[in-house]
Amino acid sequence: MKRFLSIALVLAAPLLEAQTGGGSSHWLQYRYANADVVALGANLTGTRNTAVGSIALDAADANDNTAIGYNALTASTGGGNTAVGSSALDANTTGVSNVAIGLNALGANLGGNQNVAIGEDALLLNDGGNTNVAVGYGALDAN
């Protein structure tokens, strides 16, 4: 039987508790005294997710997401996304297979799929556009 692991780490405040989840979705979560810093906080069913940073992947119930940075992928229920940087892909809800690297990259994306944004504010206002590639500061920010 295959077992999958989702990991959440937040290094911001004194450790309050550490807990693990079982069943078909195994997870490890570190919870700190300040509830606002919990990564993967509302994740109930998602598997194979990795979150590092305050509020990263907070609502993710999807699979195969990676979020590194404050508020990265915080609202996502879409799978296969990668967000690296503060508030990268933070508004994403149903979008899948997106890559956002940089502060606010793909920040307003709600349901756009298969986008790549590299650089601060790259594809910042992309809401539902698909298969875009933006590289550089503010590239395609009003797409």
Side-chain angles (χ1 to χ4, degrees):
M1 171 188 221
K2 288 186 178 179
R3 295 190 180 228
F4 299 103
L5 175 67
S6 292
I7 299 174
L9 296 175
V10 178
L11 305 173
L15 181 64
L16 180 64
E17 65 181 315
Q19 60 188 91
T20 59
S24 62
S25 175
H26 294 273
W27 51 271
L28 170 66
Q29 179 182 64
Y30 291 91
R31 181 181 169 98
Y32 293 83
N34 178 353
D36 288 340
V37 299
V38 178
L40 278 170
N43 182 26
L44 300 175
T45 61
T47 60
R48 300 176 308 272
N49 292 304
T50 302
V52 178
S54 299
I55 319 172
L57 264 171
D58 188 51
D61 276 333
N63 304 324
D64 304 310
N65 288 298
T66 301
I68 300 172
Y70 170 78
N71 211 37
L73 264 170
T74 193
S76 186
T77 58
N81 293 298
T82 301
V84 178
S86 185
S87 296
L89 267 168
D90 62 328
N92 188 68
T93 52
T94 59
V96 298
S97 301
N98 292 294
V99 175
I101 300 173
L103 174 67
N104 296 323
L106 272 167
N109 190 67
L110 297 176
N113 302 313
Q114 300 163 336
N115 293 294
V116 176
I118 300 173
E120 181 178 340
D121 294 337
L123 276 168
L124 175 65
L125 299 179
N126 185 67
D127 182 331
N130 299 317
T131 63
N132 294 291
V133 177
V135 178
Y137 174 83
L140 290 172
D141 62 344
N143 186 56

PDB file of all heavy atoms in Angstrom, residues 7-17 28-34 36-39 51-56 68-70:
ATOM      1  N   ILE A   7       3.772  17.846   4.075  1.00  0.00           N
ATOM      2  CA  ILE A   7       4.617  18.427   5.108  1.00  0.00           C
ATOM      3  C   ILE A   7       4.367  19.917   5.202  1.00  0.00           C
ATOM      4  O   ILE A   7       4.272  20.603   4.197  1.00  0.00           O
ATOM      5  CB  ILE A   7       6.114  18.191   4.788  1.00  0.00           C
ATOM      6  CG1 ILE A   7       6.408  16.689   4.732  1.00  0.00           C
ATOM      7  CG2 ILE A   7       7.002  18.878   5.813  1.00  0.00           C
ATOM      8  CD1 ILE A   7       7.800  16.364   4.282  1.00  0.00           C
ATOM      9  N   ALA A   8       4.276  20.411   6.434  1.00  0.00           N
ATOM     10  CA  ALA A   8       4.139  21.851   6.659  1.00  0.00           C
ATOM     11  C   ALA A   8       5.125  22.268   7.731  1.00  0.00           C
ATOM     12  O   ALA A   8       5.169  21.686   8.803  1.00  0.00           O
ATOM     13  CB  ALA A   8       2.725  22.188   7.102  1.00  0.00           C
ATOM     14  N   LEU A   9       5.927  23.267   7.447  1.00  0.00           N
ATOM     15  CA  LEU A   9       6.875  23.794   8.422  1.00  0.00           C
ATOM     16  C   LEU A   9       6.749  25.304   8.463  1.00  0.00           C
ATOM     17  O   LEU A   9       6.709  25.963   7.439  1.00  0.00           O
ATOM     18  CB  LEU A   9       8.313  23.433   8.054  1.00  0.00           C
ATOM     19  CG  LEU A   9       8.678  21.961   8.048  1.00  0.00           C
ATOM     20  CD1 LEU A   9      10.100  21.793   7.550  1.00  0.00           C
ATOM     21  CD2 LEU A   9       8.517  21.362   9.418  1.00  0.00           C
ATOM     22  N   VAL A  10       6.694  25.840   9.659  1.00  0.00           N
ATOM     23  CA  VAL A  10       6.665  27.283   9.859  1.00  0.00           C
ATOM     24  C   VAL A  10       7.634  27.590  10.982  1.00  0.00           C
ATOM     25  O   VAL A  10       7.526  27.036  12.061  1.00  0.00           O
ATOM     26  CB  VAL A  10       5.251  27.775  10.248  1.00  0.00           C
ATOM     27  CG1 VAL A  10       5.269  29.263  10.486  1.00  0.00           C
ATOM     28  CG2 VAL A  10       4.254  27.427   9.176  1.00  0.00           C
ATOM     29  N   LEU A  11       8.572  28.464  10.703  1.00  0.00           N
ATOM     30  CA  LEU A  11       9.569  28.798  11.715  1.00  0.00           C
ATOM     31  C   LEU A  11       9.412  30.262  12.086  1.00  0.00           C
ATOM     32  O   LEU A  11      10.107  31.114  11.582  1.00  0.00           O
ATOM     33  CB  LEU A  11      10.971  28.512  11.176  1.00  0.00           C
ATOM     34  CG  LEU A  11      11.191  27.089  10.681  1.00  0.00           C
ATOM     35  CD1 LEU A  11      12.556  26.961  10.024  1.00  0.00           C
ATOM     36  CD2 LEU A  11      11.041  26.102  11.805  1.00  0.00           C
ATOM     37  N   ALA A  12       8.438  30.570  12.923  1.00  0.00           N
ATOM     38  CA  ALA A  12       8.176  31.962  13.222  1.00  0.00           C
ATOM     39  C   ALA A  12       7.892  32.248  14.691  1.00  0.00           C
ATOM     40  O   ALA A  12       7.994  33.380  15.120  1.00  0.00           O
ATOM     41  CB  ALA A  12       6.989  32.451  12.388  1.00  0.00           C
ATOM     42  N   ALA A  13       7.516  31.271  15.467  1.00  0.00           N
ATOM     43  CA  ALA A  13       7.103  31.517  16.851  1.00  0.00           C
ATOM     44  C   ALA A  13       7.400  30.267  17.667  1.00  0.00           C
ATOM     45  O   ALA A  13       7.700  29.218  17.125  1.00  0.00           O
ATOM     46  CB  ALA A  13       5.610  31.839  16.886  1.00  0.00           C
ATOM     47  N   PRO A  14       7.287  30.367  18.989  1.00  0.00           N
ATOM     48  CA  PRO A  14       7.531  29.183  19.821  1.00  0.00           C
ATOM     49  C   PRO A  14       6.569  28.050  19.467  1.00  0.00           C
ATOM     50  O   PRO A  14       5.388  28.273  19.227  1.00  0.00           O
ATOM     51  CB  PRO A  14       7.267  29.685  21.234  1.00  0.00           C
ATOM     52  CG  PRO A  14       7.400  31.161  21.154  1.00  0.00           C
ATOM     53  CD  PRO A  14       6.986  31.543  19.772  1.00  0.00           C
ATOM     54  N   LEU A  15       7.083  26.837  19.423  1.00  0.00           N
ATOM     55  CA  LEU A  15       6.285  25.667  19.087  1.00  0.00           C
ATOM     56  C   LEU A  15       5.235  25.423  20.158  1.00  0.00           C
ATOM     57  O   LEU A  15       5.531  25.358  21.339  1.00  0.00           O
ATOM     58  CB  LEU A  15       7.193  24.443  18.966  1.00  0.00           C
ATOM     59  CG  LEU A  15       6.550  23.125  18.589  1.00  0.00           C
ATOM     60  CD1 LEU A  15       5.956  23.223  17.184  1.00  0.00           C
ATOM     61  CD2 LEU A  15       7.570  22.009  18.643  1.00  0.00           C
ATOM     62  N   LEU A  16       3.987  25.298  19.729  1.00  0.00           N
ATOM     63  CA  LEU A  16       2.891  25.003  20.637  1.00  0.00           C
ATOM     64  C   LEU A  16       2.597  23.510  20.621  1.00  0.00           C
ATOM     65  O   LEU A  16       2.422  22.887  21.654  1.00  0.00           O
ATOM     66  CB  LEU A  16       1.644  25.797  20.248  1.00  0.00           C
ATOM     67  CG  LEU A  16       0.396  25.601  21.091  1.00  0.00           C
ATOM     68  CD1 LEU A  16       0.654  26.090  22.510  1.00  0.00           C
ATOM     69  CD2 LEU A  16      -0.771  26.360  20.491  1.00  0.00           C
ATOM     70  N   GLU A  17       2.544  22.917  19.440  1.00  0.00           N
ATOM     71  CA  GLU A  17       2.284  21.488  19.330  1.00  0.00           C
ATOM     72  C   GLU A  17       2.730  20.983  17.967  1.00  0.00           C
ATOM     73  O   GLU A  17       2.832  21.730  17.011  1.00  0.00           O
ATOM     74  CB  GLU A  17       0.794  21.188  19.523  1.00  0.00           C
ATOM     75  CG  GLU A  17      -0.078  21.773  18.438  1.00  0.00           C
ATOM     76  CD  GLU A  17      -1.553  21.491  18.641  1.00  0.00           C
ATOM     77  OE1 GLU A  17      -1.901  20.348  18.965  1.00  0.00           O
ATOM     78  OE2 GLU A  17      -2.340  22.412  18.464  1.00  0.00           O
ATOM     79  N   LEU A  28       2.165  15.936   8.492  1.00  0.00           N
ATOM     80  CA  LEU A  28       2.890  16.401   9.666  1.00  0.00           C
ATOM     81  C   LEU A  28       2.729  17.899   9.703  1.00  0.00           C
ATOM     82  O   LEU A  28       2.953  18.585   8.719  1.00  0.00           O
ATOM     83  CB  LEU A  28       4.376  16.038   9.547  1.00  0.00           C
ATOM     84  CG  LEU A  28       5.335  16.650  10.558  1.00  0.00           C
ATOM     85  CD1 LEU A  28       5.032  16.128  11.961  1.00  0.00           C
ATOM     86  CD2 LEU A  28       6.762  16.332  10.172  1.00  0.00           C
ATOM     87  N   GLN A  29       2.294  18.411  10.833  1.00  0.00           N
ATOM     88  CA  GLN A  29       2.057  19.847  10.930  1.00  0.00           C
ATOM     89  C   GLN A  29       2.616  20.347  12.252  1.00  0.00           C
ATOM     90  O   GLN A  29       2.396  19.744  13.296  1.00  0.00           O
ATOM     91  CB  GLN A  29       0.552  20.127  10.874  1.00  0.00           C
ATOM     92  CG  GLN A  29       0.213  21.598  10.986  1.00  0.00           C
ATOM     93  CD  GLN A  29      -1.282  21.804  10.966  1.00  0.00           C
ATOM     94  OE1 GLN A  29      -1.970  21.356  11.863  1.00  0.00           O
ATOM     95  NE2 GLN A  29      -1.772  22.472   9.938  1.00  0.00           N
ATOM     96  N   TYR A  30       3.322  21.455  12.172  1.00  0.00           N
ATOM     97  CA  TYR A  30       3.800  22.120  13.363  1.00  0.00           C
ATOM     98  C   TYR A  30       2.919  23.334  13.599  1.00  0.00           C
ATOM     99  O   TYR A  30       2.768  24.171  12.717  1.00  0.00           O
ATOM    100  CB  TYR A  30       5.264  22.554  13.195  1.00  0.00           C
ATOM    101  CG  TYR A  30       6.207  21.391  13.151  1.00  0.00           C
ATOM    102  CD1 TYR A  30       6.554  20.798  11.949  1.00  0.00           C
ATOM    103  CD2 TYR A  30       6.732  20.870  14.320  1.00  0.00           C
ATOM    104  CE1 TYR A  30       7.402  19.716  11.907  1.00  0.00           C
ATOM    105  CE2 TYR A  30       7.587  19.787  14.289  1.00  0.00           C
ATOM    106  CZ  TYR A  30       7.926  19.220  13.086  1.00  0.00           C
ATOM    107  OH  TYR A  30       8.762  18.146  13.058  1.00  0.00           O
ATOM    108  N   ARG A  31       2.341  23.414  14.773  1.00  0.00           N
ATOM    109  CA  ARG A  31       1.455  24.532  15.090  1.00  0.00           C
ATOM    110  C   ARG A  31       2.150  25.395  16.143  1.00  0.00           C
ATOM    111  O   ARG A  31       2.672  24.905  17.120  1.00  0.00           O
ATOM    112  CB  ARG A  31       0.124  24.016  15.619  1.00  0.00           C
ATOM    113  CG  ARG A  31      -0.838  25.120  15.937  1.00  0.00           C
ATOM    114  CD  ARG A  31      -2.136  24.528  16.486  1.00  0.00           C
ATOM    115  NE  ARG A  31      -2.956  25.578  17.021  1.00  0.00           N
ATOM    116  CZ  ARG A  31      -3.945  26.136  16.365  1.00  0.00           C
ATOM    117  NH1 ARG A  31      -4.227  25.745  15.146  1.00  0.00           N
ATOM    118  NH2 ARG A  31      -4.656  27.081  16.910  1.00  0.00           N
ATOM    119  N   TYR A  32       2.095  26.679  15.943  1.00  0.00           N
ATOM    120  CA  TYR A  32       2.745  27.616  16.830  1.00  0.00           C
ATOM    121  C   TYR A  32       1.709  28.406  17.609  1.00  0.00           C
ATOM    122  O   TYR A  32       0.521  28.404  17.281  1.00  0.00           O
ATOM    123  CB  TYR A  32       3.662  28.541  16.025  1.00  0.00           C
ATOM    124  CG  TYR A  32       4.813  27.773  15.440  1.00  0.00           C
ATOM    125  CD1 TYR A  32       4.671  27.084  14.248  1.00  0.00           C
ATOM    126  CD2 TYR A  32       6.018  27.692  16.113  1.00  0.00           C
ATOM    127  CE1 TYR A  32       5.712  26.342  13.728  1.00  0.00           C
ATOM    128  CE2 TYR A  32       7.061  26.949  15.597  1.00  0.00           C
ATOM    129  CZ  TYR A  32       6.905  26.287  14.405  1.00  0.00           C
ATOM    130  OH  TYR A  32       7.940  25.547  13.920  1.00  0.00           O
ATOM    131  N   ALA A  33       2.159  29.110  18.619  1.00  0.00           N
ATOM    132  CA  ALA A  33       1.263  29.850  19.493  1.00  0.00           C
ATOM    133  C   ALA A  33       0.399  30.847  18.725  1.00  0.00           C
ATOM    134  O   ALA A  33      -0.754  31.071  19.059  1.00  0.00           O
ATOM    135  CB  ALA A  33       2.066  30.567  20.579  1.00  0.00           C
ATOM    136  N   ASN A  34       0.913  31.445  17.667  1.00  0.00           N
ATOM    137  CA  ASN A  34       0.152  32.375  16.837  1.00  0.00           C
ATOM    138  C   ASN A  34      -0.520  31.569  15.727  1.00  0.00           C
ATOM    139  O   ASN A  34       0.119  31.102  14.813  1.00  0.00           O
ATOM    140  CB  ASN A  34       1.090  33.428  16.240  1.00  0.00           C
ATOM    141  CG  ASN A  34       0.370  34.399  15.339  1.00  0.00           C
ATOM    142  OD1 ASN A  34      -0.803  34.236  15.034  1.00  0.00           O
ATOM    143  ND2 ASN A  34       1.070  35.420  14.914  1.00  0.00           N
ATOM    144  N   ASP A  36      -2.077  32.291  13.174  1.00  0.00           N
ATOM    145  CA  ASP A  36      -1.947  32.816  11.822  1.00  0.00           C
ATOM    146  C   ASP A  36      -0.731  32.283  11.082  1.00  0.00           C
ATOM    147  O   ASP A  36      -0.569  32.548   9.903  1.00  0.00           O
ATOM    148  CB  ASP A  36      -1.866  34.348  11.854  1.00  0.00           C
ATOM    149  CG  ASP A  36      -3.187  34.982  12.208  1.00  0.00           C
ATOM    150  OD1 ASP A  36      -4.221  34.305  12.058  1.00  0.00           O
ATOM    151  OD2 ASP A  36      -3.175  36.140  12.627  1.00  0.00           O
ATOM    152  N   VAL A  37       0.109  31.543  11.735  1.00  0.00           N
ATOM    153  CA  VAL A  37       1.322  31.081  11.065  1.00  0.00           C
ATOM    154  C   VAL A  37       1.269  29.607  10.689  1.00  0.00           C
ATOM    155  O   VAL A  37       2.270  29.021  10.353  1.00  0.00           O
ATOM    156  CB  VAL A  37       2.584  31.355  11.920  1.00  0.00           C
ATOM    157  CG1 VAL A  37       2.745  32.828  12.165  1.00  0.00           C
ATOM    158  CG2 VAL A  37       2.559  30.574  13.210  1.00  0.00           C
ATOM    159  N   VAL A  38       0.112  28.994  10.715  1.00  0.00           N
ATOM    160  CA  VAL A  38       0.010  27.571  10.449  1.00  0.00           C
ATOM    161  C   VAL A  38      -0.033  27.300   8.946  1.00  0.00           C
ATOM    162  O   VAL A  38      -0.940  27.728   8.246  1.00  0.00           O
ATOM    163  CB  VAL A  38      -1.239  26.968  11.124  1.00  0.00           C
ATOM    164  CG1 VAL A  38      -1.367  25.494  10.788  1.00  0.00           C
ATOM    165  CG2 VAL A  38      -1.162  27.157  12.622  1.00  0.00           C
ATOM    166  N   ALA A  39       0.953  26.594   8.442  1.00  0.00           N
ATOM    167  CA  ALA A  39       0.952  26.162   7.045  1.00  0.00           C
ATOM    168  C   ALA A  39       0.086  24.914   6.931  1.00  0.00           C
ATOM    169  O   ALA A  39      -0.004  24.122   7.849  1.00  0.00           O
ATOM    170  CB  ALA A  39       2.378  25.863   6.592  1.00  0.00           C
ATOM    171  N   ALA A  51       4.401  22.508   2.200  1.00  0.00           N
ATOM    172  CA  ALA A  51       4.215  23.925   2.507  1.00  0.00           C
ATOM    173  C   ALA A  51       5.239  24.370   3.530  1.00  0.00           C
ATOM    174  O   ALA A  51       5.385  23.738   4.571  1.00  0.00           O
ATOM    175  CB  ALA A  51       2.805  24.171   3.039  1.00  0.00           C
ATOM    176  N   VAL A  52       5.938  25.454   3.230  1.00  0.00           N
ATOM    177  CA  VAL A  52       6.909  26.031   4.138  1.00  0.00           C
ATOM    178  C   VAL A  52       6.644  27.525   4.184  1.00  0.00           C
ATOM    179  O   VAL A  52       6.772  28.208   3.163  1.00  0.00           O
ATOM    180  CB  VAL A  52       8.366  25.768   3.670  1.00  0.00           C
ATOM    181  CG1 VAL A  52       9.351  26.418   4.620  1.00  0.00           C
ATOM    182  CG2 VAL A  52       8.627  24.277   3.550  1.00  0.00           C
ATOM    183  N   GLY A  53       6.218  28.032   5.320  1.00  0.00           N
ATOM    184  CA  GLY A  53       5.958  29.455   5.471  1.00  0.00           C
ATOM    185  C   GLY A  53       4.607  29.724   6.108  1.00  0.00           C
ATOM    186  O   GLY A  53       3.697  28.900   6.051  1.00  0.00           O
ATOM    187  N   SER A  54       4.482  30.874   6.708  1.00  0.00           N
ATOM    188  CA  SER A  54       3.243  31.258   7.371  1.00  0.00           C
ATOM    189  C   SER A  54       2.075  31.257   6.397  1.00  0.00           C
ATOM    190  O   SER A  54       2.145  31.836   5.325  1.00  0.00           O
ATOM    191  CB  SER A  54       3.370  32.670   7.967  1.00  0.00           C
ATOM    192  OG  SER A  54       4.390  32.696   8.921  1.00  0.00           O
ATOM    193  N   ILE A  55       1.028  30.581   6.743  1.00  0.00           N
ATOM    194  CA  ILE A  55      -0.232  30.495   6.005  1.00  0.00           C
ATOM    195  C   ILE A  55      -0.064  29.871   4.611  1.00  0.00           C
ATOM    196  O   ILE A  55      -0.947  29.943   3.779  1.00  0.00           O
ATOM    197  CB  ILE A  55      -0.949  31.867   5.910  1.00  0.00           C
ATOM    198  CG1 ILE A  55      -0.852  32.623   7.222  1.00  0.00           C
ATOM    199  CG2 ILE A  55      -2.428  31.682   5.598  1.00  0.00           C
ATOM    200  CD1 ILE A  55      -1.368  34.040   7.144  1.00  0.00           C
ATOM    201  N   ALA A  56       1.043  29.255   4.335  1.00  0.00           N
ATOM    202  CA  ALA A  56       1.257  28.632   3.027  1.00  0.00           C
ATOM    203  C   ALA A  56       0.316  27.446   2.848  1.00  0.00           C
ATOM    204  O   ALA A  56       0.128  26.658   3.760  1.00  0.00           O
ATOM    205  CB  ALA A  56       2.704  28.173   2.890  1.00  0.00           C
ATOM    206  N   ILE A  68       6.131  27.655  -0.999  1.00  0.00           N
ATOM    207  CA  ILE A  68       7.230  28.097  -0.145  1.00  0.00           C
ATOM    208  C   ILE A  68       7.160  29.607  -0.050  1.00  0.00           C
ATOM    209  O   ILE A  68       7.304  30.301  -1.060  1.00  0.00           O
ATOM    210  CB  ILE A  68       8.591  27.655  -0.710  1.00  0.00           C
ATOM    211  CG1 ILE A  68       8.651  26.128  -0.817  1.00  0.00           C
ATOM    212  CG2 ILE A  68       9.732  28.192   0.151  1.00  0.00           C
ATOM    213  CD1 ILE A  68       9.870  25.600  -1.527  1.00  0.00           C
ATOM    214  N   GLY A  69       6.898  30.116   1.148  1.00  0.00           N
ATOM    215  CA  GLY A  69       6.825  31.549   1.365  1.00  0.00           C
ATOM    216  C   GLY A  69       5.543  31.959   2.047  1.00  0.00           C
ATOM    217  O   GLY A  69       4.536  31.243   2.011  1.00  0.00           O
ATOM    218  N   TYR A  70       5.568  33.113   2.677  1.00  0.00           N
ATOM    219  CA  TYR A  70       4.401  33.644   3.369  1.00  0.00           C
ATOM    220  C   TYR A  70       3.212  33.745   2.413  1.00  0.00           C
ATOM    221  O   TYR A  70       3.332  34.290   1.318  1.00  0.00           O
ATOM    222  CB  TYR A  70       4.716  35.027   3.959  1.00  0.00           C
ATOM    223  CG  TYR A  70       3.490  35.736   4.471  1.00  0.00           C
ATOM    224  CD1 TYR A  70       2.951  35.384   5.693  1.00  0.00           C
ATOM    225  CD2 TYR A  70       2.871  36.718   3.717  1.00  0.00           C
ATOM    226  CE1 TYR A  70       1.810  36.011   6.165  1.00  0.00           C
ATOM    227  CE2 TYR A  70       1.733  37.350   4.175  1.00  0.00           C
ATOM    228  CZ  TYR A  70       1.201  36.996   5.405  1.00  0.00           C
ATOM    229  OH  TYR A  70       0.066  37.606   5.856  1.00  0.00           O
TER     230      TYR A  70
END
